[in-house]
Amino acid sequence: MEIDQDYRALSVDTLSQRLGGVDAVASRVGGEPASWGIREVGDGNLNLVFIVSGDVGSVVVKQALPYVRMVGESWPLPIYRAHFEYYALVRQAKRAPGIAPEVYYFDKPQALIVMEYLHPHRILRRKLIDGERVDQLGETIGQFCARTAFRGSELSLSSPEKKADVGLFSGNVAIPAITESLVFTDPYYGAEMNHHTPELSPVVDELRRNARLKAKVQRLLMKFTANTETMLHGDLHSGSIMATDTEVRVIDPEFSQYGPMAFDLGMAVANFLMAYFSQPAHRQESELDEYQAWILEVIEACFNHFNAEFRHLWQTERTGILFPKSLFEEQGNSADDACDALLEEIRLDALAYCGIEMHRRVLSLAHNADFEEIEDTALRAKLEARNVLMGQTLIMEPEAYSDLTALADLARAYNQQEVL
Amino acid sequence: MEIDQDYRALSVDTLSQRLGGVDAVASRVGGEPASWGIREVGDGNLNLVFIVSGDVGSVVVKQALPYVRMVGESWPLPIYRAHFEYYALVRQAKRAPGIAPEVYYFDKPQALIVMEYLHPHRILRRKLIDGERVDQLGETIGQFCARTAFRGSELSLSSPEKKADVGLFSGNVAIPAITESLVFTDPYYGAEMNHHTPELSPVVDELRRNARLKAKVQRLLMKFTANTETMLHGDLHSGSIMATDTEVRVIDPEFSQYGPMAFDLGMAVANFLMAYFSQPAHRQESELDEYQAWILEVIEACFNHFNAEFRHLWQTERTGILFPKSLFEEQGNSADDACDALLEEIRLDALAYCGIEMHRRVLSLAHNADFEEIEDTALRAKLEARNVLMGQTLIMEPEAYSDLTALADLARAYNQQEVL
Ligand SMILES: Nc1ncnc2c1ncn2[C@@H]1O[C@H](COP(=O)(O)OP(=O)(O)OP(=O)(O)O)[C@@H](O)[C@H]1O
Ligand SMILES: Nc1ncnc2c1ncn2[C@@H]1O[C@H](COP(=O)(O)OP(=O)(O)OP(=O)(O)O)[C@@H](O)[C@H]1O
Ligand SMILES: [Mg+2]
Ligand SMILES: [Mg+2]
């Protein structure tokens, strides 16, 4: 992967000099570039993220590094991921307006995006760990997934536009490769970079002996890697959602690719479920039940609003080659049943992808704070075990939990179970 | 779609002049170019096809025209289809050696391929109409489909190679668009270019009122258009197969694209079934039963050899990211069940694609000679009706016919049925 020879990583010291002359930045920040307040806040694993503030306002500057930040130069990773993040951000802005940060400026050779500063939004994962509620959380995420899924597919896009996009995104190999191994494969054997809570080992060992489970996961990997239904966010965990108590936004689509409609939905729900299972370590007894109940409501809302919004778009914006009106409405046949059948397929795959995400976050390389910050490893393992086993159930028999009450009951049952 | 400004369609008069200096051609044909025997034999719908003969031998020269030949300049079609045909031919040569014609020369701006002259091979469709048998027909086609399906997927290819290929083929929009409408959509409503045997109308009308059928077909279109499992031939009907009594070859992959593993298999079987249902118009009573029974054996062999070859490759060449040995064999788990489950999914989709191909060949624009050459339209409609209804059954409930005896019984039952 060639890096443009002009590429230079930004730093707190060089940023104002390098971007001071860019009007899209300067006009929004205001004042003398030399007096800008510049903080590097990249708490993430991969990139540089700066908040730049001045008399007028603030912007976020995100730049890809030619390696994985949390590991270092020994793990190179193409900076073109910033290009795909940019492509995804502008598509999301069209397909689900108001959710992704607005893009102010894009410098391709520098792999650099200047975007809207979300404030006072906080990363959702932190809010969930802290026991905060967010209005309309499930609704917004469900709707966001439905809008991007529908409007990025040939239910809506013209075929030439969609196929050109698939061609564009096929240039991205390194990023999907991370998902393919870290999410779908590494959790199920002793891959080198894996780690898990020591006390969880008996559960992990049994999981990895489950050949039927592994076969199902690999079939879902095949659907993920050889499917271009729609443009995904690709990494819609609770660290990619920022929220106030009433507004929900989605950041960081650098793992965007064309893939199955069910993927983002499943990953988002998995992160809600992991928040759910980790709560006993973060909440007082007195608040625990109510807060966990609220998380289950978020999940239900997420699925319901996905379906409602998808159905709405199906009826009002079905302009692509798939399920054309010429075959249905114009022949006096409703296409509603076809929509419901597709939604049921999406639900089942989403539950299975959900189970896989629940596994990889405790078994593979990139864990999540919900569990990772539990210092008592015995307690952590106990909660992780519930999560792992529910994930297994969802992968093995999603049909049994497509009913949302059954799904919530399942979560409640595992939440009571003393596995370890 | 830009055409290279140097592009010129070949003719019988200009060919020797234009290709006489190309060593790959001249050395294989031999003698003075001016004395070459040149015949245009393109009985097809789309392109120019010449047989060029000289002292040493013969070659076939195929050139794309910038429009659909059977229609004329009013239906433009990009000449880049010849590029994809070339890409497909060289990939097939690697993945299933000995089946596609060998490529001797490719001129991209001229959209021109010089290839092996298959002789004394005849188009399989004609042989089936004439009541000829071909040894190893089902075996070879089943094996060809399995080899190309497996070796063109991420079961075998490295991900970077496969993804680059998907990117390359995403440049092809016009050709998939033909399949998307002519195969999947037009048959199911009164599309402008459709035609069918007048006496078949009652059956057609009922078919087009079947909303559940149309929904299933559109779901399969979605799988076809948004799925990059493997590189397909894309047009594997009996007019794309040439054979002697003992050798089977596959030509004309200009509809090649990445798509679902089940597609080629389903289309090939559909063409065997259409040969089967049309036989009463082409055979004497005395030969009919035996010849029809032979066709059913071909179908059974085709499915069986697809599965056997796919299983063999699964065990011996599974080097891609999918179902990796690290999760199965290296953990003491067999991956055989996973292979069988995937093969069952492929079988079901193949049966459904088969049903769709059975429909489009009597309802949409491009019919096939098996039925079309039956001059008695009442008889033709009667045989087409059996074919259409079996197609419907296969689309609606493929699960019931994944057993090959049940499938053959179904064909025999429809073959007796007096529908019209
Ligand atoms: N538009 C924004 N507005 C406010 N804060 C932001 C914005 N974008 C990013 N941040 C902050 O920067 C952090 C890192 O951003 P981001 O997740 O995009 O980086 P990353 O390097 O891709 O990390 P990851 O490891 O999650 O992939 C976020 O967690 C958030 O705190
Ligand atoms: N390699 C070959 N050897 C011998 N004959 C060939 C060869 N290729 C093509 N032909 C003859 O030329 C005819 C047309 O070839 P082909 O099907 O490739 O053309 P086409 O224009 O793509 O037609 P179609 O309408 O089927 O797409 C074939 O039916 C066959 O008779
Ligand atoms: Mg990121
Ligand atoms: Mg052709």
Side-chain angles (χ1 to χ4, degrees):
Chain A
M1 202 46 53
E2 288 298 302
I3 297 186
D4 193 290
Q5 59 178 17
D6 293 333
Y7 172 86
R8 295 283 181 282
L10 289 165
S11 70
V12 171
D13 299 331
T14 59
L15 190 145
S16 62
Q17 209 182 333
R18 287 182 54 193
L19 296 181
V22 176
D23 185 58
V25 181
S27 66
R28 277 189 179 83
V29 177
E32 272 306 304
S35 68
W36 287 351
I38 301 172
R39 284 184 297 144
E40 210 281 310
V41 296
D43 60 350
N45 304 318
L46 294 179
N47 307 290
L48 295 171
V49 180
F50 302 90
I51 298 174
V52 183
S53 304
D55 298 345
V56 176
S58 301
V59 300
V60 162
V61 177
K62 180 169 177 178
Q63 186 183 35
L65 290 165
Y67 50 84
V68 175
R69 180 180 182 171
M70 71 178 287
V71 177
E73 309 205 9
S74 65
W75 186 350
L77 196 66
I79 60 168
Y80 68 50
R81 64 190 188 272
H83 310 162
F84 292 102
E85 178 164 356
Y86 167 73
Y87 302 145
L89 284 169
V90 296
R91 282 158 181 73
Q92 289 171 347
K94 265 175 70 179
R95 295 174 192 169
I99 304 296
E102 188 185 342
V103 173
Y104 300 138
Y105 178 71
F106 172 53
D107 182 333
K108 196 173 171 184
Q110 297 300 330
L112 177 164
I113 302 166
V114 181
M115 68 182 104
E116 182 184 356
Y117 171 48
L118 300 176
H119 187 79
H121 304 66
R122 295 177 68 213
I123 289 290
L124 179 67
R125 195 183 303 287
R126 293 249 60 90
K127 291 176 80 78
L128 295 173
I129 291 172
D130 293 349
E132 297 174 17
R133 282 165 214 230
V134 177
D135 253 23
Q136 306 287 314
L137 174 57
E139 287 81 345
T140 310
I141 296 301
Q143 235 170 41
F144 173 79
C145 291
R147 287 180 182 165
T148 51
F150 189 95
R151 291 179 175 149
S153 79
E154 279 173 291
L155 288 165
S156 159
L157 291 179
S158 80
S159 292
E161 185 180 357
K162 200 259 184 173
K163 276 154 189 161
D165 238 31
V166 169
L168 178 71
F169 277 80
S170 73
N172 190 359
V173 176
I175 302 294
I178 295 178
T179 306
E180 288 154 6
S181 61
L182 290 199
V183 177
F184 289 94
T185 304
D186 290 0
Y188 303 101
Y189 80 112
E192 206 179 328
M193 292 180 305
N194 286 353
H195 60 102
H196 65 257
T197 309
E199 293 89 333
L200 190 64
S201 285
V203 173
V204 178
D205 293 346
E206 208 188 311
L207 193 80
R208 289 184 181 157
R209 277 193 296 266
N210 187 341
R212 275 190 54 226
L213 174 83
K214 290 184 282 187
K216 284 209 132 196
V217 171
Q218 288 298 306
R219 185 66 186 90
L220 286 153
L221 168 57
M222 186 167 165
K223 283 198 192 178
F224 177 78
T225 187
N227 181 304
T228 62
E229 274 170 17
T230 196
M231 191 195 78
L232 308 178
H233 178 284
D235 198 22
L236 193 52
H237 58 81
S238 48
S240 296
I241 300 174
M242 295 189 77
T244 64
D245 293 348
T246 56
E247 202 200 38
V248 180
R249 306 290 296 267
V250 172
I251 65 168
D252 194 18
E254 72 179 323
F255 278 69
S256 184
Q257 65 169 83
Y258 274 81
M261 289 187 172
F263 187 77
D264 286 343
L265 180 62
M267 186 179 277
V269 169
N271 280 270
F272 297 143
L273 280 170
M274 289 186 281
Y276 173 84
F277 283 117
S278 66
Q279 285 303 319
H282 303 303
R283 292 280 76 66
Q284 304 292 347
E285 201 56 63
S286 60
E287 305 166 348
L288 182 61
D289 285 356
E290 251 185 83
Y291 194 66
Q292 282 191 310
W294 175 75
I295 297 179
L296 293 184
E297 282 167 28
V298 169
I299 292 171
E300 189 179 341
C302 187
F303 277 119
N304 279 336
H305 283 257
F306 180 91
N307 278 19
E309 182 64 14
F310 197 95
R311 263 193 214 102
H312 172 69
L313 297 172
W314 180 275
Q315 272 147 17
T316 55
E317 297 186 11
R318 213 168 77 249
T319 53
I321 60 164
L322 298 177
F323 300 88
K325 302 213 159 164
S326 55
L327 295 193
F328 296 94
E329 288 84 345
E330 291 171 17
Q331 305 297 316
N333 292 133
S334 162
D336 292 356
D337 288 349
C339 181
D340 286 347
L342 180 59
L343 282 171
E344 180 62 13
E345 281 192 63
I346 293 174
R347 168 92 42 104
L348 297 184
D349 280 354
L351 291 171
Y353 284 122
C354 172
I356 296 169
E357 168 76 1
M358 291 165 84
H359 287 166
R360 72 98 164 200
R361 288 291 179 189
V362 297
L363 302 178
S364 176
L365 174 68
H367 289 218
N368 56 12
D370 315 58
F371 290 122
E372 215 57 11
E373 291 182 357
I374 303 172
E375 285 178 14
D376 173 349
T377 56
L379 174 61
R380 191 204 301 159
K382 185 177 109 163
L383 302 180
E384 287 177 332
R386 296 171 178 174
N387 173 67
V388 166
L389 293 178
M390 174 155 176
Q392 177 170 247
T393 302
L394 293 179
I395 297 165
M396 300 293 283
E397 35 173 357
E399 316 76 38
Y401 304 98
S402 117
D403 176 89
L404 297 181
T405 308
L407 182 68
D409 286 344
L410 184 72
R412 280 186 286 259
Y414 274 116
N415 187 52
Q416 298 301 325
Q417 198 166 308
E418 298 302 324
V419 187
L420 288 175
Chain B
M1 205 46 54
E2 288 298 302
I3 297 186
D4 193 289
Q5 58 180 14
D6 293 333
Y7 172 86
R8 296 284 181 280
L10 289 165
S11 71
V12 170
D13 299 332
T14 59
L15 189 145
S16 61
Q17 210 183 330
R18 286 181 54 193
L19 297 180
V22 176
D23 185 60
V25 180
S27 65
R28 277 188 180 85
V29 177
E32 271 307 302
S35 67
W36 286 352
I38 301 173
R39 284 183 297 143
E40 208 281 310
V41 296
D43 60 352
N45 303 318
L46 294 179
N47 308 291
L48 295 171
V49 180
F50 302 90
I51 298 175
V52 183
S53 304
D55 297 346
V56 175
S58 301
V59 300
V60 161
V61 177
K62 180 169 177 179
Q63 186 182 37
L65 290 165
Y67 50 84
V68 175
R69 180 181 182 172
M70 71 179 288
V71 176
E73 308 206 10
S74 65
W75 186 350
L77 196 67
I79 60 168
Y80 68 52
R81 63 188 187 274
H83 310 162
F84 292 102
E85 179 164 355
Y86 166 73
Y87 302 146
L89 285 168
V90 296
R91 282 159 181 73
Q92 289 170 349
K94 265 176 68 179
R95 295 172 193 170
I99 304 295
E102 187 185 342
V103 173
Y104 300 138
Y105 177 70
F106 171 53
D107 182 333
K108 194 173 173 184
Q110 298 298 331
L112 178 163
I113 303 166
V114 181
M115 68 182 106
E116 182 183 358
Y117 172 48
L118 300 175
H119 187 79
H121 302 66
R122 294 176 68 214
I123 289 291
L124 177 68
R125 195 184 301 290
R126 293 249 60 90
K127 291 176 82 78
L128 296 174
I129 291 172
D130 293 348
E132 297 173 17
R133 283 165 212 229
V134 176
D135 254 22
Q136 306 286 315
L137 174 56
E139 287 80 345
T140 311
I141 296 300
Q143 234 169 43
F144 173 79
C145 289
R147 288 180 182 165
T148 52
F150 189 95
R151 291 179 175 148
S153 79
E154 279 173 288
L155 288 165
S156 160
L157 292 179
S158 81
S159 293
E161 185 180 357
K162 201 264 184 168
K163 276 154 189 161
D165 238 30
V166 169
L168 178 70
F169 277 79
S170 74
N172 189 359
V173 176
I175 302 293
I178 294 178
T179 306
E180 287 154 6
S181 61
L182 292 198
V183 176
F184 289 93
T185 303
D186 291 0
Y188 303 100
Y189 79 111
E192 208 179 327
M193 292 179 307
N194 285 354
H195 60 101
H196 65 257
T197 310
E199 292 90 333
L200 191 64
S201 285
V203 173
V204 178
D205 293 346
E206 209 188 309
L207 192 80
R208 289 184 181 156
R209 277 193 295 266
N210 187 341
R212 274 189 55 224
L213 174 83
K214 291 184 284 188
K216 284 208 133 195
V217 171
Q218 289 299 306
R219 185 66 186 90
L220 285 153
L221 168 57
M222 187 166 163
K223 283 197 193 179
F224 176 78
T225 188
N227 181 304
T228 62
E229 274 169 17
T230 195
M231 192 195 77
L232 308 178
H233 178 284
D235 198 22
L236 192 52
H237 57 81
S238 48
S240 295
I241 300 174
M242 295 188 78
T244 64
D245 293 348
T246 55
E247 201 199 39
V248 179
R249 306 289 296 265
V250 172
I251 65 168
D252 194 18
E254 73 180 320
F255 278 69
S256 184
Q257 64 169 84
Y258 274 80
M261 290 189 171
F263 187 78
D264 286 344
L265 179 63
M267 187 180 276
V269 169
N271 280 270
F272 297 144
L273 280 170
M274 289 187 282
Y276 173 84
F277 283 117
S278 66
Q279 285 303 319
H282 303 302
R283 292 281 76 65
Q284 304 291 347
E285 200 56 64
S286 61
E287 304 166 346
L288 182 60
D289 285 357
E290 252 186 79
Y291 193 65
Q292 282 191 310
W294 175 75
I295 297 179
L296 293 185
E297 284 166 27
V298 169
I299 293 171
E300 190 179 340
C302 186
F303 277 119
N304 279 336
H305 282 257
F306 181 91
N307 278 20
E309 181 65 14
F310 197 95
R311 262 193 214 101
H312 172 69
L313 297 172
W314 180 277
Q315 272 146 17
T316 56
E317 297 187 10
R318 213 168 77 247
T319 54
I321 60 163
L322 298 176
F323 299 88
K325 303 213 159 162
S326 55
L327 294 194
F328 295 95
E329 288 85 345
E330 291 171 15
Q331 305 299 316
N333 292 132
S334 162
D336 292 356
D337 289 348
C339 181
D340 287 346
L342 180 58
L343 282 171
E344 180 63 12
E345 281 192 64
I346 293 174
R347 167 96 36 108
L348 297 184
D349 280 353
L351 291 171
Y353 284 123
C354 172
I356 296 169
E357 169 76 1
M358 291 166 85
H359 288 165
R360 73 98 165 202
R361 289 289 179 188
V362 297
L363 302 178
S364 176
L365 174 67
H367 290 219
N368 57 10
D370 315 58
F371 291 122
E372 216 57 11
E373 291 182 357
I374 304 172
E375 284 179 14
D376 174 349
T377 57
L379 174 60
R380 191 204 300 158
K382 186 176 108 163
L383 302 180
E384 287 177 334
R386 295 170 177 174
N387 173 67
V388 167
L389 293 178
M390 175 153 174
Q392 178 171 246
T393 302
L394 292 179
I395 298 165
M396 299 292 284
E397 35 174 357
E399 315 77 39
Y401 305 98
S402 117
D403 175 89
L404 297 181
T405 309
L407 182 68
D409 286 344
L410 185 71
R412 280 186 286 260
Y414 274 117
N415 187 51
Q416 298 300 326
Q417 198 165 309
E418 298 302 325
V419 187
L420 287 174

